[in-house]
Amino acid sequence: MTAGSPASSRRLSQLQALVLLAVLLAGGVALLEAFGSGYHRTLAALTLINVMLAVSLTMTNGFTGLFSLGHPAFMTLGAYVAIAFTYPAGRKSFAMPDLPAFFSGIEWPLPAGALIGAIAAAAAARIVGISVLRLKVHYLAVATLGLIIIVETLALNLDGLTRGGRGLTGIPRSAELWLIALCTLLVIVGCWRLKHASVGRAMLAVRENEMAARCFGIDAVRLKVTAFVLGAGIAGFCGALLPHVVAVMTPNSFGLMLAFNLVAMVVVGGQGSILGAVFAALAFSLGTEGLRPVEESLGLYGLTQVVVAVVLILVLIWRPKGLFGLDEPLVETR
Amino acid sequence: MTELLVARGLGIAFGGVVALKDFDLAVAEGDLLGLIGPNGAGKTTAFNLLTGVLRPDRGTIHFAGREITRARPERRALAGMTRTFQNIRLFDELTVLQNVMAGAHGRHGASTLAAVFGGPVLRRSEALIREKAEAVLARTGLAELAGQRADALSYGDRRRVEIARALAAEPRLLLLDEPAAGMNDREKAALSELVTRLNADDGLTIVLVEHNVRMVASLCRRLVVLHEGSVLAEGATERVLRQPEVVGVYLGRRRDHETRQGAGADASEGAGGGC
């Protein structure tokens, strides 16, 4: 937020930035649909979902100073709830025999299912948040790690709903690229608006000094719950989209490794920087895919994860606040 | 004049150290009251109890006729009591204007949904908050610094921004915890002038914790002197400053301070800084 700095004259206005983002997304989708291979489209879809996840985590953690690692838990929940609504009706009794009879005739379109998945994840976050958000920074991190394990274990053992470790296959590939791009645009714009409104400033005040913020009338607990629930809702939505890109869902599709990667994206981009999270998610997603052939040719499997960890450590040493800190690069913030 | 803030028999101990005992305080509407005492006397602890940063072990607090002894800090702030901190707690990565605008959120901020979806409610709230914040900045002489990041300011200006942020919450009672600490003489004079104006012109009730006895004496009509966690003296400024026990506490301060440090009786300041 460098309003009034010399660079601000060369920054895009918010409207220009919005138009540019929309054009880039629409153009990218059009090009990929016309000329891209299935591989490219899937890569683009996964990249955009990573962008949404990183942006929502920078809202939850970056705006309010929480340190939640719980995104994968909410993604898993959102995914299974959505699948219960979108899975081909004819195969439900075989794949998910324990599903209540109500679901047996249902085969809803993805947006409806994903929305319900998001609401379920947000509701779960609201319930968990009441107790968990009393915890200070690293205790919250540990508690949300526990949440990932709990959800994963539940999914593994609720065999009649999830097919356990064998996973659900044959999920409709209904997450069209344009739909994901549209959702990405909405998530970025929504989080941007939140950050630059009074509520956003109040959240940042809580992050900077909770007691000082409370002493001039900011309800810190409520804002933290809001950020946690909103972030979980977006995570639930993304979790619902993902299996509809790759057609498979297993209990450990979204695990600890993903939690680490997401936190790495947020820390590298700058905690609280929305565009920082976007750039970090793009670099991470495309970078790891770019490194894959190197891994294979050298036989150094796991190399990408090492690179991510090293980048994270280097950023923490040289730029502890991330590449952009709280700032938004390139765009005016008034 | 009606009494705005009344504390009766407040007490708190940290571990074995009694930081404040049987603390009574009555602040009338329109008062400009000084709370003084040597290091570790319990001044900041008293503020922390009054504003809800700490909960008292015993005693009651009433504000504007309502009991607030157990109320959360944000409730007290919305009821009309805000404060500054001895160790400045500004939001360093935000600009001066944004810091002060955050101060107005509790009263005038639009909801999260309004923020995300926009619309007239959000626009009105944002415009009102900006207007209020700009008015406070003008009042406190900070208008020119509005666009600066808080961490780029001089020490004296940071103190003033903290006051401005507390004012943006539209208090009836403002508690200032050592606002002149670390200021040079010119900044102190400007601060004195600001405090006087806020009290005399705007009718704001102010309680001031201050080390600098000369400054308090020139500003405050009434003083409360704390010593070792209890009220040593209170009343009209000139009379209090002439009382032998008050003079004794201040003249004997050096020796007193050394022995107290050994006993770890600075717990009140430590607890204030740590929360």
Side-chain angles (χ1 to χ4, degrees):
Chain A
M1 298 197 188
T2 47
S5 69
S8 67
S9 55
R10 269 174 274 124
R11 287 167 174 249
L12 297 170
S13 76
Q14 298 198 6
L15 185 65
Q16 287 170 330
L18 176 64
V19 171
L20 179 65
L21 180 63
V23 167
L24 281 177
L25 283 168
V29 171
L31 278 176
L32 283 168
E33 293 293 354
F35 306 109
S37 64
Y39 163 76
H40 288 128
R41 281 195 292 274
T42 304
L43 176 60
L46 298 181
T47 302
L48 289 180
I49 289 174
N50 273 341
V51 167
M52 280 188 268
L53 288 168
V55 168
S56 66
L57 192 65
T58 213
M59 181 205 20
T60 300
N61 288 3
F63 291 7
T64 58
L66 291 171
F67 190 15
S68 164
L69 296 170
H71 259 42
F74 299 118
M75 292 170 70
T76 304
L77 183 63
Y80 280 116
V81 170
I83 291 167
F85 286 91
T86 59
Y87 204 69
R91 294 171 52 204
K92 268 186 189 165
S93 57
F94 163 72
M96 295 176 266
D98 289 353
L99 214 55
F102 163 78
F103 288 93
S104 58
I106 282 182
E107 191 178 331
W108 286 4
L110 174 63
L115 215 53
I116 295 175
I119 292 168
R126 181 75 185 79
I127 295 165
V128 173
I130 293 167
S131 52
V132 164
L133 292 181
R134 289 175 201 279
L135 302 172
K136 296 275 179 221
V137 188
H138 40 290
Y139 299 103
L140 178 66
V142 174
T144 47
L145 271 184
L147 198 63
I148 299 177
I149 308 287
I150 291 170
V151 171
E152 196 174 315
T153 311
L154 276 176
L156 266 173
N157 289 292
L158 291 172
D159 210 63
L161 294 174
T162 64
R163 289 190 80 224
R166 290 165 296 164
L168 285 165
T169 51
I171 299 164
R173 288 181 193 266
S174 47
E176 304 279 353
L177 193 52
W178 67 265
L179 174 72
I180 296 176
L182 179 65
C183 295
T184 308
L185 183 69
L186 292 177
V187 166
I188 293 174
V189 170
C191 289
W192 180 280
R193 295 186 61 104
L194 186 69
K195 177 177 173 181
H196 296 99
S198 184
V199 176
R201 281 189 298 273
M203 285 178 173
L204 295 172
V206 171
R207 150 183 148 157
E208 298 282 306
N209 194 315
E210 183 170 341
M211 191 44 87
R214 294 179 68 186
C215 281
F216 53 81
I218 287 176
D219 191 340
V221 173
R222 188 166 155 199
L223 287 181
K224 287 198 280 188
V225 171
T226 302
F228 190 62
V229 168
L230 277 180
I234 297 172
F237 193 84
C238 293
L241 292 179
L242 249 165
H244 295 85
V245 175
V246 295
V248 183
M249 178 70 202
T250 69
N252 39 26
S253 288
F254 315 129
L256 298 179
M257 190 68 93
L258 178 62
F260 170 77
N261 287 339
L262 288 174
V263 168
M265 287 179 219
V266 169
V267 170
V268 169
Q271 304 227 31
S273 173
I274 291 169
L275 293 180
V278 171
F279 292 136
L282 287 176
F284 170 87
S285 311
L286 302 175
T288 48
E289 201 54 31
L291 274 177
R292 192 170 300 221
V294 181
E295 264 187 356
E296 279 165 12
S297 62
L298 296 177
L300 291 171
Y301 295 98
L303 176 70
T304 23
Q305 211 53 53
V306 174
V307 171
V308 171
V310 169
V311 168
L312 179 65
I313 291 168
L314 293 180
V315 167
L316 284 174
I317 291 173
W318 277 298
R319 288 192 76 117
K321 290 185 170 174
L323 294 181
F324 301 111
L326 189 55
D327 291 348
E328 300 296 348
L330 309 175
V331 182
E332 266 176 17
T333 49
R334 269 177 296 163
Chain B
M1 283 199 283
T2 53
E3 283 184 337
L4 187 58
L5 177 74
V6 181
R8 288 270 169 266
L10 285 187
I12 189 168
F14 303 108
V17 183
V18 176
L20 204 63
K21 58 176 184 266
D22 286 332
F23 175 69
D24 291 340
L25 183 73
V27 184
E29 188 109 50
D31 229 345
L32 175 46
L33 177 89
L35 184 59
I36 63 170
N39 261 341
K43 305 180 297 286
T44 295
T45 303
F47 265 24
N48 284 343
L49 293 180
L50 294 173
T51 53
V53 172
L54 296 172
R55 292 242 175 117
D57 296 337
R58 60 187 65 81
T60 59
I61 308 166
H62 284 79
F63 182 75
R66 292 221 184 114
E67 175 161 6
I68 55 159
T69 314
R70 307 251 141 225
R72 291 183 291 151
E74 56 269 28
R75 296 266 97 206
R76 301 180 199 215
L78 292 177
M81 172 168 33
T82 59
R83 69 175 290 180
T84 63
F85 290 87
Q86 189 179 2
N87 46 344
I88 305 175
R89 299 184 181 188
L90 282 183
F91 310 139
D92 283 342
E93 293 195 52
L94 304 185
T95 64
V96 169
L97 180 65
Q98 287 166 337
N99 264 279
V100 178
M101 285 170 85
H105 173 78
R107 277 194 204 285
H108 304 293
S111 70
T112 308
L113 277 184
V116 173
F117 292 107
V121 175
L122 177 72
R123 276 197 298 277
R124 266 203 304 279
S125 141
E126 290 291 317
L128 181 66
I129 286 173
R130 181 174 282 258
E131 190 185 305
K132 298 248 176 206
E134 281 169 350
V136 169
L137 286 177
R139 186 84 180 114
T140 48
L142 290 164
E144 282 171 18
L145 301 176
Q148 299 252 8
R149 258 173 71 131
D151 57 1
L153 300 180
S154 73
Y155 198 77
D157 285 336
R158 286 169 65 78
R159 288 244 172 245
R160 290 168 80 84
V161 173
E162 222 193 359
I163 296 175
R165 191 180 60 187
L167 288 174
E170 299 171 31
R172 294 171 70 184
L173 170 65
L174 179 62
L175 304 170
L176 300 174
D177 196 351
E178 302 213 15
M183 283 189 169
N184 62 34
D185 286 343
R186 217 188 53 216
E187 289 171 332
K188 275 183 194 162
L191 175 73
S192 294
E193 193 250 345
L194 173 65
V195 170
T196 311
R197 266 196 298 137
L198 290 173
N199 178 250
D201 302 350
D202 302 353
L204 184 64
T205 312
I206 297 174
V207 179
L208 188 71
V209 158
E210 192 44 74
H211 240 54
N212 184 337
V213 177
R214 191 177 305 154
M215 183 177 168
V216 178
S218 72
L219 274 177
C220 304
R221 291 180 288 275
R222 234 158 50 79
L223 288 186
V224 172
V225 185
L226 271 175
H227 181 53
E228 295 185 342
S230 337
V231 176
L232 183 70
E234 64 173 305
T237 301
E238 281 124 59
R239 193 165 53 77
V240 166
L241 287 179
R242 273 201 303 270
Q243 286 184 21
E245 58 270 36
V246 175
V247 176
V249 163
Y250 270 91
L251 288 181
R253 184 170 139 199
R254 178 180 294 274
R255 219 190 69 220
D256 184 63
H257 181 58
E258 281 164 4
T259 50
R260 290 179 62 78
Q261 267 191 337
D266 270 346
S268 67
E269 323 283 356
C275 52

PDB file of all heavy atoms in Angstrom, chain B residues 27 47 93 212:
ATOM      1  N   VAL B  27     -13.596   9.763  37.662  1.00  0.00           N
ATOM      2  CA  VAL B  27     -13.293  10.762  36.644  1.00  0.00           C
ATOM      3  C   VAL B  27     -14.600  11.406  36.217  1.00  0.00           C
ATOM      4  O   VAL B  27     -15.516  10.732  35.758  1.00  0.00           O
ATOM      5  CB  VAL B  27     -12.608  10.124  35.415  1.00  0.00           C
ATOM      6  CG1 VAL B  27     -12.207  11.198  34.424  1.00  0.00           C
ATOM      7  CG2 VAL B  27     -11.403   9.312  35.838  1.00  0.00           C
ATOM      8  N   PHE B  47      -4.451   1.446  33.877  1.00  0.00           N
ATOM      9  CA  PHE B  47      -5.025   1.631  32.532  1.00  0.00           C
ATOM     10  C   PHE B  47      -5.473   0.297  31.938  1.00  0.00           C
ATOM     11  O   PHE B  47      -6.523   0.199  31.314  1.00  0.00           O
ATOM     12  CB  PHE B  47      -3.975   2.271  31.613  1.00  0.00           C
ATOM     13  CG  PHE B  47      -4.077   3.764  31.527  1.00  0.00           C
ATOM     14  CD1 PHE B  47      -4.664   4.500  32.547  1.00  0.00           C
ATOM     15  CD2 PHE B  47      -3.606   4.447  30.407  1.00  0.00           C
ATOM     16  CE1 PHE B  47      -4.767   5.878  32.462  1.00  0.00           C
ATOM     17  CE2 PHE B  47      -3.707   5.819  30.318  1.00  0.00           C
ATOM     18  CZ  PHE B  47      -4.280   6.541  31.341  1.00  0.00           C
ATOM     19  N   GLU B  93       2.633  -1.278   8.655  1.00  0.00           N
ATOM     20  CA  GLU B  93       2.587  -1.445   7.197  1.00  0.00           C
ATOM     21  C   GLU B  93       1.439  -0.666   6.561  1.00  0.00           C
ATOM     22  O   GLU B  93       1.264  -0.699   5.357  1.00  0.00           O
ATOM     23  CB  GLU B  93       2.488  -2.941   6.837  1.00  0.00           C
ATOM     24  CG  GLU B  93       3.753  -3.685   7.209  1.00  0.00           C
ATOM     25  CD  GLU B  93       3.841  -5.051   6.559  1.00  0.00           C
ATOM     26  OE1 GLU B  93       3.689  -5.129   5.328  1.00  0.00           O
ATOM     27  OE2 GLU B  93       4.059  -6.026   7.282  1.00  0.00           O
ATOM     28  N   ASN B 212       6.580  12.930  33.369  1.00  0.00           N
ATOM     29  CA  ASN B 212       7.070  14.291  33.426  1.00  0.00           C
ATOM     30  C   ASN B 212       6.135  15.132  34.300  1.00  0.00           C
ATOM     31  O   ASN B 212       5.100  15.604  33.863  1.00  0.00           O
ATOM     32  CB  ASN B 212       7.103  14.814  31.979  1.00  0.00           C
ATOM     33  CG  ASN B 212       7.690  16.191  31.892  1.00  0.00           C
ATOM     34  OD1 ASN B 212       7.696  16.934  32.871  1.00  0.00           O
ATOM     35  ND2 ASN B 212       8.181  16.520  30.716  1.00  0.00           N
TER      36      ASN B 212
END
